[in-house]
Structures are given as C-alpha cells and as structure tokens.
Amino acid sequence: MRSDSVTKGMQQAPHRSLFHALGLTEEELDRPLVGIVSSYNEIVPGHMNLDKIVAAVKTGVSMAGGTPIVFPAIAVCDGIAMGHIGMKYSLVTRDLIADSTECMAMAHAFDALVMVPNCDKNVPGLLMAAARLNIPTVFVSGGPMLAGHVHGQKRSLSSMFEAVGAHAAGKMTEEEVKEFEEKTCPTCGSCSGMYTANSMNCLTEVLGMGLKGNGTIPAVYSERIKLAKHAGMQVMEMVKRNIRPRDIMTKEAFLNALTMDMALGCSTNSMLHLPAIAHEAGVEIDMEIANQISAKTPNLCHLAPAGPTYMEDLNEAGGIYAVMNEISKKGLLNLDCITVTGKTVGENIKNCSNKNPEVIRPIENPYSQTGGIAILKGNLAPDTGVVKRSAVVEEMMVHEGPARVFDCEEDAILAIKGGKIVAGDVVVIRYEGPKGGPGMREMLNPTSAIAGMGLGASVALITDGRFSGASRGASIGHVSPEAAVGGPIALVEEGDIIQIDIPNNRLDLKVSDEELERRRAAWKPREPKVKSGYLARYASMVTSGNRGAVLEIK
C-alpha cells in the first residue's frame, strides 16, 4: 500500500506519532488510508450540503474496512462570480484544484480517494487530479437543485438572469423580478438545468468515474446520502481490485462522454473540460472529432435552458444510464469500458429503461438527428468555435449580420441594455479569452440581456470567452485563436459582415484575405490586463480554448 511509506516500519515512527496526534488508532493505521476530498463551503449553494455527503462517504469507507481522512478543495460559485472581476477567477480555479489535490494526496501517501465536488470547475478540476494521480478514486457529487416554481411554471437560474434583461426592456416590473429572485433557487444543489455543473456531473457518470445516479439524484433527496455511502464502500473494492482512473478514463471512455454530451445537450464548457481531463489521462482529443460524433448522435434531451425539463425530471425518467441505454440502441457507445463499479458500461446500463419519453426522447423520435453541440470553423475561427446547437432557435441556425465590436463584456452589456443593439446584429466580445481575459469569463449576462430584451431570435453573440451552461441562443464561444494572441477575432471591425452557418459548421468574416492580411500586419498585442498575482501567472501559461485552456510549461 502507498500508505506503508508513512505508517509501517521503524523509520516511520515519527510519522505514526503525528497520526496518533490526530487521534488515529493502530487499528486505523493498519487499514488503507482513503482521502475524502471535500469541496464543502458556505458560499456556493451547490456545496452547502457536502458536509452531509462527506459524513456518509466516511461511513461507507469505514464499513468497508478503510480509514477515511478528509481534506478540502476550493470552489467558486459561477453565478455569484458572474458579471464582475470575480468571473476572471472561475475557470482558473480548475487548475488550482487539480494542483492542490495532487499536493495533498502525494504528500500524505493516500491509498485511494473519494472526490466530493459539485459545481462548475471543481468537478473537472478533481477529474484532472484523479487522472494525474492515478490511484483508486470514485466521485460522488452534491447533486442538483430542485427547480423553482413561479406562477405555476418551473424555473431555474437562467430565468433569473433573463428576468433582469426583461426588466431593462420594460417588460417586467421590479416586483415581478423580486418574485423570481425569491423563488427561482429553492434548495441547495447545483443549479437545476443542464448547466455546466450538472453537465460535468452527468459526464462523470458516463466516463465511469461515478456511480449510477451521481449526475441526477437531487441534492435534497435522502437517496443521495445512500449513494455517498455506496461510493465510500466502492472505493475499497477498487483498492482490492487495483482499479485506477486511467484504467477507466481511456480514449474510448472520452468518446463515450462526447457522444453522451451530444445526446444530453450539455453545456459548451464540456468542450473545455473534456480535453483538459483527457490531457491529464494521457489521451489527446482533437475537438474536431466532436462534429463527427455529433453527425451520427441524436439529441434526446432538451433540459433547461434548451427546454422545459429539469434535472429532477431526468432523474425520474431513469437518469443518465437510461439515456445511455437509449443511445446504445444505435451502437454509438463502447460498452466494454470498465467503470468504478468494476463492471463494464454495458453491464451497468443493461435494463435501465426510459420511463418518460417526454423527458428522454426515444431513439426513433429525437429532437434532432444530430447532437446538441457543434464545433464551427472558418476564417473567423481557424481553430474552432463552439455553440450549443440544441439551444439555438431555428431562425438563427443560419444568420448574417453586421459586427458590433466590443473589447470587454462590460461595454457590450451597456450597449445591449442601452438599446443600441438591434435585430440582425452580431455582437462580438473579444479579449476575454483564457490569456486575454485573463480567465475566459462566462458571458451569461450579455446572452441573458439579449434574450430578456426579446432579441434571442434575431441577434447572435460571438466571443473568445465562454458561456454559462445557462446561456441560450446563437451564442458562439471559445473562438480560437483568441484575440490576445492575434486571432482573426482581433481583426474584426465595426460593421463587418459575419456569416454564421451552424448546420454546415461555419463561422466566417466576409472580408477579403488581402484586407485581413493588411489588418493583421497593423495589429499590435495589448498590454496584459493583469500584471501580478495568480491571474498573471495563469495568463503566461494558458493555451487557447480549442486545447481546453490547459496550462503549458514554457
């Protein structure tokens, strides 16, 4: 056991003395040491219940013969960080989480880990750590929030941001916004639609790193406590059988995740996180493969913000395994991949039936024959751009309009809310990429303002930043190369015509090659927005969005 290096032998007597200072007994030190990585805090609604989940995991580990030891991981609430400098600190925490977890696990010689995350960046951050460390690891998340109810309709966080836009357009009173404010987020948990947190928790289940129900059982259900106990027990089985993350997170498992991403209509942020996790697992994914997968993968789910169903509905309909079973009818999944259960994907999903064809469309009657996410390329995005196709209205699938250019999110919001953006416009927000932001901010505020002001079916938004899973409409992000490194998005001028063709995966600037070359020759890099602290170090090392915004050692 790895822990022998701190618990066994005369040389380790000083180490054992420190374990005794913790109150651990000799019997506990004779067992495998299992690190419980807890993202519990009192600022993120998705994390306020994690103390209960952690306690249940500890019980499970102890029941199965292990010694559970808790240590923390940080987490940012993207909703609270949205629309101000705090959003620069969201994506960047993914690497802090991976790095700090690696440090703790290696320094203390844990034999296994149970990861207890829930929200946007600490799920992929801990998956990156799991792949890097490659010791037996299982995930059990905090679970999704229940949907809110306003005027008899289910609502979620995206409704809240759009209500602010509706108020700016004079379509909603302050009192009506207040009612949304008080009723939209009724419980703890990750926000109730297929936003980034729930997308990543569901894909953790698909990858084989979480047990059945990890992505969908609501945070407030007692069933989640039982799931946590089983996760604690299961990691001990993984220790016995030496099942490790890199045995599970193979190339085939990542292709399964991309396939299910398309079927579920996950957040575009998954297109950042999956390649970053794969990179840590020694698997390189060219994101252009996403279009090949999308072309043959039906979109079966329209959860909020794409449609009127929520995570609680998906859970009742049979959860992720039911969607996987439906997709497997077309032979689109590798069923031989091993999972944390010790069984294959095929064994796990067998007999998991679809209990509600209104929530999970049958394979014969999908929302569309192609997947929920599209990768776009063209002279405006030579590497890639990403759009959540399943959340785009039909009339915006093909669009052509004049560029309205902004060099930061704040200027764009002022223009949108000031009525300066009109039907047909293409809003361009640049210098918000991983390096240029720095930190690749989410653009939920401008997309929600566009939707709230009734322009969602007539205005597009393009950025080298990214979008919240709560964004909907013709919102194209991750444009690469980003503006800060001289990508073509830096060369767009006010009034240039931009052509969007989502069905054909194109994003083009209708400017001649000669004119683009003239502009490129005149372009000069901007002074870094941040020159000290963690963001400056991050900006100096980070790659563009098409590579998952991973950090490179120069």
Side-chain angles (χ1 to χ4, degrees):
M1 302 297 291
R2 293 177 78 250
S3 60
D4 287 355
S5 62
V6 292
T7 60
K8 300 289 192 299
M10 182 53 65
Q11 284 296 114
Q12 280 64 46
H15 305 71
R16 288 194 299 274
S17 72
L18 293 168
F19 282 115
H20 290 308
L22 290 167
L24 293 177
T25 65
E26 290 183 8
E27 291 82 356
E28 286 173 300
L29 295 181
D30 281 338
R31 296 175 166 194
L33 301 185
V34 180
I36 315 297
V37 188
S38 171
S39 296
Y40 170 77
N41 62 50
E42 295 183 341
I43 189 64
V44 184
H47 293 227
M48 62 181 281
N49 66 321
L50 294 191
D51 55 340
K52 312 267 189 315
I53 304 296
V54 167
V57 170
K58 290 177 70 176
T59 297
V61 169
S62 296
M63 287 169 64
T67 298
I69 301 173
V70 180
F71 65 87
I74 63 168
V76 163
C77 176
D78 276 26
I80 295 174
M82 195 72 65
H84 59 97
I85 192 172
M87 183 43 70
K88 292 180 184 286
Y89 287 88
S90 170
L91 179 62
V92 304
T93 64
R94 187 184 70 180
D95 298 274
L96 278 177
I97 291 160
D99 292 348
S100 60
T101 302
E102 174 193 358
C103 291
M104 289 293 288
M106 294 301 292
H108 301 105
F110 286 109
D111 298 304
L113 298 171
V114 180
M115 307 294 201
V116 187
N118 210 31
C119 288
D120 292 22
K121 307 308 168 301
N122 70 321
V123 179
L126 290 178
L127 281 165
M128 289 165 69
R132 194 184 295 176
L133 289 161
N134 201 34
I135 60 177
T137 303
V138 66
F139 277 67
V140 55
S141 302
M145 184 184 291
L146 294 179
H149 290 264
V150 184
H151 301 158
Q153 288 187 306
K154 285 185 176 181
R155 299 290 187 179
S156 61
L157 186 64
S158 52
S159 312
M160 193 65 252
F161 279 89
E162 290 176 16
V164 174
H167 178 263
K171 297 179 180 180
M172 190 176 281
T173 66
E174 188 173 340
E175 291 73 23
E176 288 172 321
V177 174
K178 180 73 171 173
E179 184 176 7
F180 268 74
E181 182 182 327
E182 292 175 346
K183 295 180 178 178
T184 294
C185 298
T187 72
C188 63
S190 47
C191 298
S192 56
M194 188 56 84
Y195 309 144
T196 305
N198 290 327
S199 294
M200 293 312 302
N201 281 327
C202 290
L203 294 179
T204 298
E205 207 174 319
V206 177
L207 279 170
M209 291 296 293
L211 299 176
K212 179 185 178 185
N214 183 61
T216 60
I217 298 170
V220 294
Y221 283 14
S222 298
E223 188 180 353
R224 181 143 302 259
I225 299 295
K226 293 194 285 185
L227 180 75
K229 291 176 183 175
H230 282 127
M233 290 185 265
Q234 190 57 38
V235 80
M236 295 308 299
E237 182 64 24
M238 294 175 71
V239 170
K240 289 175 192 170
R241 296 177 57 180
N242 197 27
I243 299 173
R244 298 168 181 254
R246 292 195 183 194
D247 301 326
I248 296 167
M249 289 193 281
T250 60
K251 183 162 189 177
E252 291 74 21
F254 283 104
L255 294 179
N256 280 351
L258 282 169
T259 299
M260 285 298 295
D261 193 313
M262 299 301 171
L264 290 164
C266 290
S267 164
T268 52
N269 280 313
S270 59
M271 295 293 110
L272 276 177
H273 299 322
L274 286 174
I277 300 159
H279 178 73
E280 295 290 354
V283 176
E284 295 304 320
I285 296 178
D286 181 346
M287 290 316 296
E288 289 186 56
I289 199 172
N291 282 338
Q292 298 171 33
I293 292 172
S294 179
K296 59 186 179 182
T297 306
N299 177 224
L300 304 186
C301 298
H302 266 194
L303 289 102
T309 54
Y310 295 81
M311 296 306 297
E312 62 202 63
D313 302 314
L314 180 56
N315 187 61
E316 295 303 317
I320 300 307
Y321 279 14
V323 185
M324 292 177 77
N325 197 25
E326 204 67 48
I327 283 293
S328 72
K329 294 174 183 176
K330 282 196 76 173
L332 296 176
L333 295 177
N334 186 313
L335 302 180
D336 296 326
C337 295
I338 197 71
T339 70
V340 292
T341 65
K343 299 177 182 177
T344 64
V345 168
E347 290 172 314
N348 285 344
I349 69 174
K350 187 179 179 182
N351 302 322
C352 292
S353 60
N354 180 0
K355 299 173 185 175
N356 188 339
E358 297 300 315
V359 176
I360 304 170
R361 287 279 186 94
I363 199 75
E364 303 81 14
N365 181 35
Y367 283 102
S368 67
Q369 292 294 342
T370 52
I373 288 178
I375 303 296
L376 310 184
K377 293 192 76 172
N379 70 350
L380 188 50
D383 290 338
T384 54
V386 181
V387 64
K388 189 170 182 175
R389 173 166 42 195
S390 60
V392 179
V393 294
E394 187 60 36
E395 51 266 47
M396 290 299 289
M397 296 295 279
V398 176
H399 180 75
E400 188 173 295
R404 305 298 309 280
V405 183
F406 304 94
D407 287 350
C408 68
E409 177 189 8
E410 289 82 357
D411 290 350
I413 291 170
L414 285 173
I416 295 164
K417 291 187 175 178
K420 295 179 181 178
I421 302 301
V422 299
D425 284 349
V426 179
V427 176
V428 176
I429 306 178
R430 62 192 181 188
Y431 294 100
E432 289 285 9
K435 189 178 292 291
M440 202 179 190
R441 289 194 286 181
E442 286 187 344
M443 302 291 159
L444 179 56
N445 271 342
T447 59
S448 298
I450 287 169
M453 296 185 76
L455 296 171
S458 59
V459 169
L461 195 155
I462 296 171
T463 181
D464 52 7
R466 61 195 177 90
F467 294 108
S468 164
S471 292
R472 61 187 175 97
S475 305
I476 300 165
H478 310 193
V479 169
S480 301
E482 62 173 291
V485 298
I489 192 171
L491 311 179
V492 181
E493 294 182 357
E494 186 80 8
D496 284 347
I497 300 300
I498 293 176
Q499 191 172 56
I500 299 164
D501 186 349
I502 295 172
N504 289 305
N505 307 112
R506 296 293 305 179
L507 179 62
D508 289 294
L509 183 65
K510 297 190 79 174
V511 171
S512 69
D513 291 345
E514 293 76 17
E515 174 61 15
L516 279 179
E517 281 306 315
R518 185 191 68 76
R519 295 181 189 179
R520 186 171 285 111
W523 178 84
K524 290 182 173 58
R526 301 276 177 104
E527 275 286 307
K529 292 178 185 175
V530 180
K531 298 181 180 179
S532 62
Y534 179 60
L535 285 181
R537 293 200 302 276
Y538 181 87
S540 72
M541 299 174 70
V542 72
T543 62
S544 277
N546 65 302
R547 294 182 55 196
V550 297
L551 301 185
E552 277 190 332
I553 300 170
K554 303 297 184 185

